[in-house]
Structures are given as C-alpha cells and as structure tokens.
Amino acid sequence: VGVGDVLVSGLYDSLVEGIRYVRANARVYAKTTREITVTIPCSYEQKVYLDRETDGGAFSGFFEEKYLNFFGKRIKFSKKTGNTGGICDTIEGEQSLGLVQGVGFPISVSTVWHLPYEMRTCTRTPAEAEALAYVELSRRIAALPGGAELLSKTIKTYAGDEVFVLTCTLVCVEDIGRVREIERG
C-alpha cells in the first residue's frame, strides 16, 4: 500500500442499477514509525527585569503612570510619560472605584507600569537540559493525532557541550485513512 492508494471506495457497481455513488465508512489501520527529535541548547537568552536596587540606580527607566478614567475620558495625573530608554515591558492594571459596594460606576484608576529589562545569556546544566527535553517530548507526543496505539518507544540521548539532543522512535498502530471526495465527471 502506498500513499494515495484507494483502499475503500464509494463507488458501487451493480448489474441492475449500474455505477452509483455511496458513502464509504471505513478505517484503515497501519503500523507506523515516527521519529521525534528534541534539541535543547545549553545556553539561552533570558529576560531579566532591572530595578533601581539591583542595578545600582544606573537605569532609571522604571516608572508608572496614573490615569483617572471618568465616564469614558482618560485624565492623566502623573508627571512622567513614555519610556525613558532601554527596552521595557508595559503592564496596565485598572481598579474600579465605587461609592456603594457591588454597584459599578464608570469611574476607575488605571496604572501603567514600564518595567525595563535586558536580555542575558544563561546556561543550563545537562540535567536541566535533559528535563526540558523530556517535557518537550511529552508535549509533542500529546500533540500527535488521536487514535494511535503506542506499541513501543525507544529513546536515545546525546549530551554535548553546547546542546542536549533526545531522539525518540515511536512504533504505533493508527488510522492512516484519509477522506477524499470522488471526482464526478
């Protein structure tokens, strides 16, 4: 059997009625082999947030802005605006104000935080890289199309100075049939 071969057809040939189209309902099971390779680098870039205490005050990019939201209008009541340098994440939060608990009013206070960060090169231990590789392997196996029955799983690993590689060979029994419409003509 090769890819694209028709194993179950919706054409019914009768001596009395001739050829007619019917709906074929079948499953085609096959023993398949899949290979999944997961590569985890031992060094990676990580976002590290800066603040006045940890960076010695050298980076003054952290600040917040306050706004009063009053019936659809946004009124700023903090002095500083915009990002003052470097790269940063912007996070916004809103707190509703109400005079009576449980009754909403169209008045709120918004706070916008600008959090500076820098990208730093970090390293993983071989054990950390291996643990991440197994987590990623589990994620990829879970993402395979449903209905497969696992017969065997073989895992090979390689731990180098720069990378950890996990190769998994899966042998499954799965429904490989694909529906293809009959071309009438």
Side-chain angles (χ1 to χ4, degrees), residues 40-43 122-126 129 158-165:
I40 304 292
C42 291
S43 64
C122 300
T123 57
R124 294 183 178 98
T125 66
Y158 165 76
D161 292 337
E162 300 293 321
V163 71
F164 182 89
V165 180

Side-chain angles (χ1 to χ4, degrees), residues 14 32 42 60 68 72 83 102 107 109 131 136 155 173-174 184:
S14 167
T32 61
C42 291
S60 60
L68 177 65
N83 187 358
I107 302 171
V109 174
E136 177 63 17
I155 296 176
V173 173
E174 58 186 310
R184 298 180 188 212

Side-chain angles (χ1 to χ4, degrees), residues 52-114:
R52 293 179 189 145
E53 288 78 30
T54 59
D55 69 359
F59 191 85
S60 60
F62 172 81
F63 65 91
E64 63 183 35
E65 299 171 333
K66 295 274 190 180
Y67 296 90
L68 177 65
N69 304 314
F70 186 72
F71 291 94
K73 300 277 188 192
R74 191 168 183 170
I75 304 163
K76 184 172 186 177
F77 59 91
S78 59
K79 291 182 181 179
K80 205 169 190 182
T81 63
N83 187 358
T84 61
I87 51 177
C88 71
D89 283 340
T90 302
I91 300 170
E92 187 168 344
E94 186 172 351
Q95 180 181 5
S96 295
L97 303 176
L99 301 174
V100 180
Q101 188 172 354
V103 178
F105 287 100
I107 302 171
S108 63
V109 174
S110 294
T111 305
V112 179
W113 295 275
H114 298 275

Side-chain angles (χ1 to χ4, degrees), residues 44-49 87-89 115-120 122:
Y44 60 98
E45 293 290 311
Q46 182 176 8
K47 183 188 292 188
V48 177
Y49 287 101
I87 51 177
C88 71
D89 283 340
L115 305 171
Y117 66 88
E118 66 183 18
M119 299 303 289
R120 293 186 185 160
C122 300

